[in-house]
Amino acid sequence: MEKITSLAKRRGFIYPGSEIYGGFAGFWDYGPLGIELKNNIKREWWKSMVYGREDVVGLDAAIIMNPKVWEASGHVEAFTDPLVECKKCHHRFRADKVEDGKCPDCGGSLTEPKKFNLLTEVYVGTTEEGKKKTYLRGEITQGVFVNFRNVVDSTRVKVPFGIAQIGKAFRNEITAGNLTFRSREFEQMELEYFVEPNEKEAEKTFEFWKDTRMNWYVSLGMSKENLRFRDHEEKEKAHYARKATDIEYKAPFGWSEFEGIHHRGDYDLSNHNLSYKDEEAGKEYTPWVIETSGGIDRSALFFLLDAYQEDKDRVILKLDPRLAPFKVAVFPLLANKEDLVREAKRVYDLLRGKFYVAWDARGNIGKRYFAQDEIGTPWCVTVDFQTLDDETVTVRDRDTAKQDRVPIDKLSDYFQNKLGV
Ligand code: ATP
């Protein structure tokens, strides 16, 4: 974790939030490379969950909603973590995370657990009297449910179908920590999939999405041996869940959830008084919901951890090329030879519109390779003296260190083929 935390900061993936004012616990800023990694994760998710399917449509609901939504959804009442407080230093901890009944900070004795609501309060309105209390959304899910009727009425979806959404959520977490793992502001990528209310259908759909989601992480390069499912026990299930399984990653701080597959039954649609009319079959019912709820920040962190490798003094981030911030880096062999630099700039400009491309002309070529390996750039293109004669360049592969000689006019196709786009 120390190595990833330092690399993330040094190379512009993740910075502590509000750092020049001493930071702000639980909030993080993504730097120039971090935003690329996150965008790439989101793009791949959207491609597989929306564009790849006939039965899923997208949505982007507001972060702030009428407080009645949160009352109806049960979050005001039940979105709580049981907390214990140290009688000596008054620090609070999640009851389920304290192992020996002693304060993890000072060893003092602890109070009995008390419930603490995770919703972040916010006040909307300009005048004191007109101000209305509501909440920043604690999960992005409710925006989908409150728009269920809108989506059914304005599109051609028919049960079974899904609504996908990506967006920020906020929780007043007690113990933020492990870099972005437990943040107070984070991003979720979720699918709510609506099925007929019948146990067989729900079970089949649950199993389908469990496998689909696990395979998605593996297809993007996460090692199978670092992944597992963990079924929730009865007592740990969220207030809406009939059944829940987590996808967990073997993090340096232990097996940790980063996506949940939940069978929410008709809990939410019923609470919002929503139902579905099947015109063809002439029946009306409240669909059941199977949800896949992933965290983008936790996924990004685990993709980074999984990709991190050391080879003597060289660090390589073996990110899947689709996730890597830069796809290609372009260098002139020597920075002080004008014709090499000019030709390399031409290659850089040629590729720039199609891929996110890095430029580096500092230090020697070995150092530039190392610097790109460390941020996961899959291919480096070097313009050398031979380029000036025959218009070919060397393409060096991050993982094999093998070099190909490729004509400049074939470079775009070469990378497009490699990326499968
Ligand atoms: P935990 O038990 O770790 O608090 P949870 O079971 O409350 O997580 P869910 O409500 O199922 O989490 O949320 C779905 C996903 O949203 C999680 O798997 C995770 O990836 C992400 N997520 C939830 N809380 C946070 C957080 N505080 N920081 C970052 N990501 C989060």
Side-chain angles (χ1 to χ4, degrees), residues 134-344:
T134 182
Y135 308 93
L136 295 177
R137 62 184 176 190
E139 57 171 26
I140 63 170
T141 330
Q142 294 305 321
V144 168
F145 296 131
V146 301
N147 280 292
F148 177 77
R149 191 170 295 146
N150 281 337
V151 173
V152 170
D153 289 349
S154 59
T155 70
R156 293 191 296 177
V157 292
K158 287 201 171 67
V159 170
F161 75 93
I163 302 180
Q165 187 176 210
I166 292 178
K168 293 252 181 172
F170 303 80
R171 292 184 191 175
N172 243 331
E173 298 279 3
I174 306 314
T175 38
N178 288 323
L179 198 60
T180 49
F181 180 79
R182 191 169 298 287
S183 307
R184 296 192 163 114
E185 171 178 342
F186 54 96
E187 223 169 347
Q188 294 184 309
M189 44 188 181
E190 289 194 343
L191 172 74
E192 308 303 319
Y193 197 84
F194 302 93
V195 295
E196 281 197 31
N198 107 40
E199 211 45 83
K200 214 166 134 207
E201 191 63 21
E203 186 59 28
K204 199 177 78 194
T205 309
F206 189 86
E207 291 304 316
F208 171 82
W209 284 113
K210 241 177 88 173
D211 291 343
T212 305
R213 294 303 304 138
M214 178 64 102
N215 292 340
W216 186 78
Y217 289 108
V218 174
S219 77
L220 282 170
M222 250 190 219
S223 326
K224 270 193 183 140
E225 62 272 20
N226 289 336
L227 292 166
R228 74 173 189 194
F229 288 117
R230 193 182 67 80
D231 292 340
H232 278 208
E233 288 170 31
E234 204 46 48
K235 64 176 183 341
E236 63 175 317
K237 279 196 306 215
H239 62 278
Y240 51 73
R242 286 194 184 193
K243 188 172 166 187
T245 299
D246 290 339
I247 301 180
E248 293 190 333
Y249 183 80
K250 196 176 177 187
F253 44 90
W255 285 99
S256 308
E257 166 192 348
F258 67 119
E259 172 144 352
I261 322 295
H262 307 129
H263 176 353
R264 295 178 80 120
D266 65 357
Y267 181 85
D268 305 272
L269 291 183
S270 289
N271 282 348
H272 294 304
N273 282 321
L274 292 162
S275 62
Y276 174 77
K277 257 199 194 119
D278 183 341
E279 305 284 359
E280 274 162 37
K283 54 182 181 177
E284 184 167 353
Y285 57 86
T286 308
W288 285 1
V289 177
I290 305 299
E291 163 186 79
T292 71
S293 174
I296 290 158
D297 311 81
R298 288 187 187 178
S299 295
L301 176 61
F302 293 159
F303 275 121
L304 284 175
L305 282 165
D306 207 68
Y308 184 91
Q309 291 189 15
E310 288 176 353
D311 179 11
K312 298 189 193 94
D313 56 350
R314 181 170 154 228
V315 168
I316 317 166
L317 268 192
K318 290 203 171 173
L319 286 170
D320 184 286
R322 289 167 292 176
L323 298 185
F326 291 116
K327 307 303 173 206
V328 184
V330 177
F331 321 138
L333 179 67
L334 301 169
N336 56 2
K337 290 273 178 267
E338 226 176 85
D339 38 0
L340 287 184
V341 174
R342 198 180 318 115
E343 189 62 2

